[in-house]
């Protein structure tokens, strides 16, 4: 089932005024626009360009619904929403759905809410399971032609699903269509999550280093534990959705640095970052093909996501004496107790402790008077040999 609707759902005058004010937020002529202030402050070069972008969100659950809400408030041009579930009362612990929407399909409930927030956003809903053979082809067609320009692909795909099968379907489609996408997720115990920016051929796809359940071709439905339900916290969902949309905006509007992988551990407020390289022996043939294409591109065209820092120019063009400046500072300065200063990220630790300076001093042999005498005798012998 597919539907499209961009008309406001509120018939009251006060509601219309709120809608008009929200829509005006992305217009540069509005002097009170908080979003356009990003442009005036030099954060983005052209914020109104957000109106020319289209994003597909797969999975309108705890993360996907909040991500759709944020992008709508930011004035995105077009949203494609994919989900086949219905709203349940168990979903009320999230930041988006309301009790009166129980029983509606998630995409229809989301469209109704988002149209009320900002009717200028074009919203297309797709209520089907993308992992079936027939629906997968429909999903491919939707993201390949769902851009604002007729027949153009979407600018970005956001994966907010809660199972590996759907992630692999998105991975396969984006590898084949050469579409950039963000993978996101929250752990079963609801106290950690992550986002991963996948650029086919340049970074690892979801199949390059798959979880064991995928690598061993295990049916994940058999892993369901009887009587055990996954936990859900609106806080963790909101944090992951915020990080996801923040990086989405950075990519779409070309500001800041887009994270390849960013995790979140609520127990220690730890945010690990890393870069994931593609696997040359990935089972996805389109991933391997994209890797070859990426390596064949000129060096200047690689890794050009976001604004690049200006290269440092030498102070003096000529250096006839070959003088070089070398940083002789030490990262790990030993303290009196032999430990190191904390120059690494919180949550990480050194594999081995630093040597205790007092122990080193005890082991270092001192120069005795006898040693000095032996040195004088040796020098005298050398002088006599030289004279002879």
């Amino acid at each position: 089932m597919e539907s499209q609707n961009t008309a406001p759902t509120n018939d009251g005058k006060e509601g219309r005024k709120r809608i008009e004010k929200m829509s005006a937020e992305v217009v540069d002529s509005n002097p009170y626009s908080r979003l356009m202030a990003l442009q005036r402050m030099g954060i983005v070069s052209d914020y109104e360009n957000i109106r020319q972008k289209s994003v597909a969100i797969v999975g309108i659950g705890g993360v996907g619904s909040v991500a759709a809400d944020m992008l709508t408030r930011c004035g995105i041009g077009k949203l494609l929403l994919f989900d086949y579930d219905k709203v349940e009362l168990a979903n009320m612990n999230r930041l988006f759905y309301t009790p009166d929407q129980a029983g509606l399909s998630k995409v229809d409930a989301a469209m109704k809410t988002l149209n009320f927030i900002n009717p200028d956003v074009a919203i297309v809903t797709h209520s089907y399971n993308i992992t079936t053979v027939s629906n997968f082809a429909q999903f491919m067609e939707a993201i390949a032609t769902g851009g604002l320009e007729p027949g153009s692909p979407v600018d970005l795909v956001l994966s907010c699903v809660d199972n590996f099968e759907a992630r692999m379907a998105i991975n396969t489609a984006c590898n084949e269509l050469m579409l950039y996408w963000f993978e996101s997720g929250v752990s079963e115990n609801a106290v950690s999550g992550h986002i991963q920016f996948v650029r086919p051929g340049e970074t690892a796809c979801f199949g390059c280093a798959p979880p064991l359940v995928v690598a061993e071709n295990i049916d994940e439905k058999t892993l369901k534990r009887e009587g055990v339900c996954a936990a859900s916290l609106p806080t963790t969902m909101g944090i992951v959705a915020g990080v996801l949309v923040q990086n989405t905006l950075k990519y779409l509007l070309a500001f800041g640095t887009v994270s390849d992988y960013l995790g979140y551990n609520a127990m220690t407020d730890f945010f690990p970052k890393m870069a994931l390289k593609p696997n040359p022996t990935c089972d996805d043939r389109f991933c391997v093909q994209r890797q070859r294409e990426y390596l064949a591109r000129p060096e200047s065209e690689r890794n050009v996501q976001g604004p690049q820092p200006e290269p440092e120019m030498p102070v003096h063009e000529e250096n006839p004496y070959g003088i070089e400046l070398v940083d002789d500072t030490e990262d790990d300065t030993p303290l009196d107790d032999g430990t190191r200063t904390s120059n690494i990220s919180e949550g990480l630790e050194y594999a081995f402790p630093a040597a205790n300076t007092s122990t080193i001093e005890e082991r270092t042999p001192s120069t005795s008077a006898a040693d000095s005498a032996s040195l004088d005798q040796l020098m005298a012998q050398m002088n006599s040999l030289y004279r002879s």
Side-chain angles (χ1 to χ4, degrees):
M1 182 180 72
E2 176 182 339
S3 61
Q4 180 171 357
N5 184 11
T6 58
T9 58
N10 183 18
D11 296 329
K13 293 183 179 180
E14 293 299 322
R16 292 180 186 276
K17 290 180 180 179
R18 287 196 299 269
I19 290 173
E20 291 172 359
K21 184 177 180 181
M22 176 60 67
S23 300
E25 285 289 329
V26 294
V27 179
D28 193 34
S29 59
N30 178 9
Y32 302 103
S33 172
R34 301 297 177 89
L35 297 174
M36 291 306 302
L38 291 171
Q39 183 172 324
R40 299 188 187 97
M41 293 178 180
I43 301 300
V44 299
S45 59
D46 184 6
Y47 188 85
E48 288 188 76
N49 194 38
I50 195 72
R51 299 287 302 135
Q52 309 304 318
K53 303 297 183 181
S54 60
V55 173
I57 302 179
V58 187
I60 315 300
V63 174
S65 61
V66 179
D69 185 304
M70 292 178 177
L71 287 172
T72 298
R73 296 177 189 275
C74 288
I76 193 76
K78 183 178 181 181
L79 282 179
L80 284 74
L81 308 180
F82 295 84
D83 205 308
Y84 66 95
D85 278 342
K86 295 183 180 298
V87 179
E88 301 175 359
L89 290 179
N91 302 138
M92 295 307 112
N93 66 331
R94 291 159 186 178
L95 304 177
F96 187 79
Y97 295 112
T98 56
D100 61 289
Q101 294 175 331
L104 295 176
S105 68
K106 286 184 176 179
V107 290
D108 288 340
M111 182 175 65
K112 180 179 179 180
T113 300
L114 298 176
N115 277 329
F116 176 72
I117 293 173
N118 189 351
D120 286 342
V121 177
I123 299 175
V124 179
T125 61
H126 300 268
S127 184
Y128 53 77
N129 184 351
I130 68 169
T131 63
T132 65
V133 175
S134 59
N135 290 341
F136 179 74
Q138 190 175 348
F139 170 66
M140 288 265 293
E141 176 70 15
I143 61 176
T145 61
L148 283 175
E149 294 294 327
S152 65
V154 297
D155 294 287
L156 197 64
V157 177
L158 305 185
S159 169
C160 305
V161 298
D162 60 359
N163 62 86
F164 297 126
E165 188 178 15
R167 287 184 173 96
M168 288 300 291
I170 298 169
N171 185 75
T172 301
C174 290
N175 277 340
E176 182 172 348
L177 297 174
M178 189 55 193
L179 290 177
Y180 288 6
W181 65 288
F182 275 99
E183 193 269 324
S184 67
V186 174
S187 63
E188 190 178 28
N189 61 8
V191 291
S192 63
H194 72 278
I195 66 166
Q196 179 183 345
F197 189 27
V198 182
R199 303 186 295 279
E202 182 180 350
T203 64
C205 77
F206 191 72
C208 281
L212 180 63
V213 66
V214 177
E216 297 294 333
N217 293 318
I218 300 174
D219 184 357
E220 63 179 296
K221 297 182 180 65
T222 63
L223 303 179
K224 176 75 174 174
R225 290 174 290 177
E226 189 68 28
V228 177
C229 178
S232 176
L233 279 173
T235 49
T236 308
M237 298 283 189
I239 291 171
V240 173
V243 171
L244 174 64
V245 174
Q246 191 80 293
N247 280 270
T248 295
L249 292 175
K250 287 192 290 184
Y251 169 71
L252 294 177
L253 297 177
F255 70 95
T257 301
V258 183
S259 295
D260 283 348
Y261 178 96
L262 181 63
Y264 169 63
N265 185 331
M267 303 300 285
T268 58
D269 285 336
F270 178 45
F271 288 85
K273 293 183 64 177
M274 66 183 73
L276 302 174
K277 299 299 182 182
N279 179 6
T281 61
C282 179
D283 290 337
D284 191 309
R285 65 185 181 92
F286 283 105
C287 176
V288 177
Q289 179 180 332
R290 300 308 174 206
Q291 291 181 50
R292 296 196 193 100
E293 294 170 354
Y294 176 74
L295 294 176
R297 288 159 53 185
E299 188 70 27
S300 59
E301 297 181 9
R302 302 180 191 175
N303 301 315
V304 292
Q305 304 305 319
Q308 301 298 306
E310 292 290 334
E312 295 184 4
M313 301 302 294
V315 179
H316 303 286
E317 293 293 340
E318 298 180 357
N319 187 14
Y321 301 105
I323 298 175
E324 296 182 2
L325 296 178
V326 179
D327 186 6
D328 60 355
T329 59
E330 296 183 0
D331 292 335
D332 302 324
T333 305
L335 302 177
D336 293 338
D337 60 355
T339 60
R340 306 182 189 184
T341 54
S342 179
N343 290 328
I344 60 175
S345 300
E346 182 181 354
L348 301 178
E349 60 183 16
Y350 290 102
F352 302 98
N356 193 302
T357 53
S358 60
T359 304
I360 296 176
E361 292 176 355
E362 291 175 0
R363 294 180 179 178
T364 303
S366 59
T367 304
S368 63
D371 292 334
S372 299
S374 299
L375 181 59
D376 292 339
Q377 293 175 4
L378 181 59
M379 292 179 64
Q381 292 176 7
M382 293 294 292
N383 288 334
S384 63
L385 291 174
Y386 176 74
R387 290 171 183 172
S388 62

